[in-house]
Amino acid sequence: MIKKGAEIEVDILELSSEGKGISKLDDGLVIFSEKTLPGDKALIRISKKKSGYAEATLLEIINPSEFRIIPPCVYFGICGGCKIQNYEYSKQIKYKTGVVRNALERIGGFKDLIVPETTECTEIFYYRNKMEFSFSDDEWLTEKDSDNVKQNFALGLHVPKFHSKIVDIRKCFLQSEISGEILNFTREFFKSRNVSVYSTKTQSGFLRFLIIRQSKNTSDLMVNLITYEHDASLMNEFSQDLKIKFPEITTIINSISQRKAQVAVGESEFIMHGPGFIKEDLKTGSGNSYTFKISPQSFFQTNTLQAQKLFKVLVDFAELKKEDNILDLYCGTGSISIMISGLVQTVIGVELVEDSIADARQNAQLNNVTNTEFICSDIKNYLENKNDISGINKLILDPPRSGLHPSICEILSETKFEKILYVSCNPHTQARDLKIICSKNMYSIEKVQPVDMFPHTYHIENVVSLKIMNDF
């Protein structure tokens, strides 16, 4: 029997849905190990032992997988970002396809589904349009930094499983090169002036977060510095120096947050330069383009170019017609509603967050879209009102990672929409929800298409279309 602390050699067979290597012993014990890839022969140490599985830490790669590559990022394996950047991209695609297939089969109970290969990302580096960097007085020193003195000032990304520790990032391959330059400029500006960093322990300090949002199809660029309070003199100086160094920046914002929790959301805003928002264009498969206003708190798909592919899949699956009346639940700032508005008769978007609904209405006006309506409401309450959904023939769902509440799934299982389109960034909660929605045999899965929105991570977006059974 393998015990905690045991060191063993294993062959890594596959990756778990969280990017951990999976190996199996002769007695059937499944072992999950960090930093291992399929094809590796590895020496690992058991760190946790349960009745059906074990977790282990990597000690040595004895024979590397033929699909291992050298990751370009020097922070690989340290920050919580690109966990599989050392895995060939073609293999990442096959892995993500398997994650979706396994979730639908094992969690949803759907057998013999055809799951096409995941749609690849056009740009596998510098693809994000938004990055959140955290300030901390608790710098994480890597093995390479062991000779350095630990600083009480860091600006970068979180270390997994450590709430306050931050890797002092100098270059990141997720957003853009100018984003990295803005990051380094901001660090040096405030560090040279001995400006304090907010501490969750003392609940004091000035600097909290740096958020950079950058449009892909326009030239707009936002810098949003979140601080504990507003220092007009300091922020004016920072804004002026930032504009001189980076004239590409179109708006600079100082958001204020006095929350105890480290959440990168401002409670109020001071616009230091520009309009206080950026605009992004999204292009449809038919060549049309829509413009969206993105304010500091707005949710917007993080990978613009890949979002366009995702929306094309959604439109193709929906088989939209001019007489269709669409209900778009969890509509956010209205991107899906507005993108499909020219193909249908009406779209109603529903969302609980008031700021998102306000943005959605503005985005509709911005694009001269007149056949959409955006309603701020609890989703369950809205669905329970039969008058609200009367006349709707197709439904779109795009919930957060946590998925749908079981009661919402139960309501949907008894509806009679011609089609339900479910977009999810979490195949596991999606499969769980689909199992309930299809439990009354009212609906069946028609098509599935995974889309890779986040290369080098284990995250995967998935689109599923449900069709109503002929008997109904």
Side-chain angles (χ1 to χ4, degrees):
M1 295 290 290
I2 296 294
K3 296 182 179 180
K4 181 179 178 180
E7 298 181 6
I8 56 174
E9 289 185 14
V10 294
D11 293 316
I12 306 302
L13 305 174
E14 57 183 322
L15 284 179
S16 74
S17 59
E18 295 181 346
K20 297 179 181 179
I22 298 176
S23 53
K24 295 180 182 178
L25 301 187
D26 292 340
D27 62 1
L29 182 70
V30 176
I31 304 174
F32 300 94
S33 51
E34 295 270 12
K35 302 180 181 179
T36 55
L37 293 173
D40 284 342
K41 179 179 283 293
L43 177 65
I44 60 175
R45 178 185 291 129
I46 304 298
S47 57
K48 183 185 293 184
K49 176 73 186 328
K50 298 291 185 180
S51 58
Y53 73 96
E55 294 182 12
T57 55
L58 173 65
L59 298 179
E60 179 187 354
I61 298 293
I62 299 169
N63 289 319
S65 166
E66 63 178 307
F67 306 112
R68 262 185 183 270
I69 62 173
I70 299 173
C73 182
V74 298
Y75 305 102
F76 173 76
I78 303 168
C79 89
C82 310
K83 287 185 178 291
I84 54 173
Q85 195 184 85
N86 61 341
Y87 200 27
E88 271 189 15
Y89 186 61
S90 62
K91 290 297 177 181
Q92 293 182 32
I93 291 298
K94 293 186 182 302
Y95 153 64
K96 294 184 180 189
T97 306
V99 168
V100 171
R101 183 183 297 111
N102 290 340
L104 290 171
E105 288 183 357
R106 296 177 184 177
I107 300 173
F110 301 101
K111 306 298 183 183
D112 303 319
L113 280 179
I114 296 175
V115 180
E117 187 166 275
T118 299
T119 301
E120 294 187 8
C121 192
T122 306
E123 298 179 357
I124 64 172
F125 294 108
Y126 305 126
Y127 57 82
R128 289 182 65 98
N129 56 39
K130 178 186 178 185
M131 285 292 292
E132 295 179 2
F133 300 103
S134 300
F135 289 92
S136 176
D137 59 357
D138 191 7
E139 180 190 7
W140 177 269
L141 292 183
T142 68
E143 292 179 0
K144 296 178 182 178
D145 298 324
S146 57
D147 295 332
N148 297 341
V149 178
K150 185 175 180 179
Q151 300 290 314
N152 61 355
F153 192 110
L155 175 58
L157 299 172
H158 280 272
V159 179
K161 301 178 183 177
F162 290 92
H163 179 68
S164 65
K165 293 187 181 297
I166 295 294
V167 183
D168 203 38
I169 298 288
R170 303 288 166 159
K171 181 176 182 179
C172 179
F173 285 82
L174 285 175
Q175 191 167 31
S176 68
E177 292 182 278
I178 192 174
S179 170
E181 293 171 8
I182 293 170
L183 170 73
N184 292 328
F185 174 87
T186 302
R187 176 191 298 106
E188 296 310 314
F189 178 91
F190 290 108
K191 192 174 180 180
S192 67
R193 290 161 176 77
N194 295 315
V195 179
S196 63
V197 172
Y198 181 83
S199 168
T200 54
K201 293 179 181 178
T202 64
Q203 294 174 14
S204 63
F206 185 73
L207 298 165
R208 303 197 70 166
F209 301 96
L210 172 68
I211 302 176
I212 301 172
R213 304 189 79 151
Q214 188 172 16
S215 300
K216 287 285 187 178
N217 292 325
T218 73
S219 58
D220 285 3
L221 176 59
M222 174 193 293
V223 175
N224 180 18
L225 187 76
I226 299 184
T227 59
Y228 184 78
E229 57 191 354
H230 180 62
D231 183 327
S233 176
L234 180 62
M235 286 309 305
N236 279 323
E237 184 183 359
F238 172 64
S239 298
Q240 291 300 323
D241 287 3
L242 196 62
K243 284 189 293 181
I244 292 171
K245 180 69 175 176
F246 305 101
E248 303 94 330
I249 296 173
T250 55
T251 194
I252 302 171
I253 299 156
N254 177 207
S255 295
I256 309 303
S257 174
Q258 297 189 348
R259 304 172 190 228
K260 294 180 180 179
Q262 279 288 69
V263 180
V265 177
E267 297 163 318
S268 59
E269 297 164 5
F270 293 85
I271 299 173
M272 309 305 300
H273 166 65
F277 59 85
I278 60 175
K279 291 181 180 179
E280 178 64 293
D281 291 341
L282 284 180
K283 300 172 184 177
T284 67
S286 60
N288 293 331
S289 181
Y290 292 92
T291 300
F292 294 90
K293 174 186 173 184
I294 305 172
S295 55
Q297 315 298 344
S298 296
F299 169 79
F300 196 78
Q301 284 284 357
T302 315
N303 187 335
T304 302
L305 301 182
Q306 205 67 352
Q308 293 173 165
K309 292 185 181 181
L310 180 74
F311 290 151
K312 185 179 185 308
V313 171
L314 180 66
V315 168
D316 290 345
F317 279 12
E319 298 178 314
L320 298 174
K321 303 180 182 68
K322 271 295 183 181
E323 61 269 23
D324 285 339
N325 295 299
I326 310 296
L327 179 59
D328 179 14
L329 299 182
Y330 307 93
C331 67
T333 56
S335 54
I336 291 176
S337 296
I338 292 168
M339 292 279 282
I340 66 173
S341 62
L343 304 173
V344 300
Q345 183 166 296
T346 61
V347 188
I348 297 175
V350 183
E351 169 68 58
L352 183 60
V353 181
E354 291 183 5
D355 286 350
S356 293
I357 289 296
D359 282 347
R361 290 168 180 162
Q362 288 186 17
N363 284 328
Q365 292 177 354
L366 189 63
N367 290 281
N368 298 314
V369 171
T370 58
N371 64 335
T372 59
E373 181 183 2
F374 294 102
I375 298 170
C376 187
S377 170
D378 175 82
I379 302 298
K380 179 175 178 290
N381 292 344
Y382 191 86
L383 284 173
E384 286 178 331
N385 189 333
K386 301 300 182 183
N387 291 330
D388 287 338
I389 61 175
S390 176
I392 299 294
N393 66 311
K394 292 177 183 176
L395 171 67
I396 295 173
L397 301 165
D398 189 5
R401 282 189 63 78
S402 56
L404 304 172
H405 191 279
S407 61
I408 293 177
C409 296
E410 289 288 349
I411 294 171
L412 292 176
S413 71
E414 297 179 349
T415 57
K416 293 183 180 180
F417 297 111
E418 181 183 330
K419 279 182 182 286
I420 296 179
L421 295 305
Y422 190 152
V423 183
S424 173
C425 58
N426 187 338
H428 298 90
T429 55
Q430 183 186 45
R432 176 204 68 197
D433 296 343
L434 290 172
K435 183 177 183 179
I436 301 174
I437 294 172
C438 296
S439 62
K440 307 286 176 63
N441 297 320
M442 191 84 78
Y443 295 101
S444 65
I445 291 181
E446 181 183 35
K447 294 179 182 178
V448 179
Q449 181 59 63
V451 180
D452 186 20
M453 303 289 285
F454 304 106
H456 314 304
T457 76
Y458 55 78
H459 297 293
I460 178 70
E461 202 96 3
N462 191 45
V463 184
V464 173
S465 67
L466 301 177
K467 64 177 180 179
I468 194 163
M469 303 292 278
N470 291 332
D471 294 342
F472 298 96

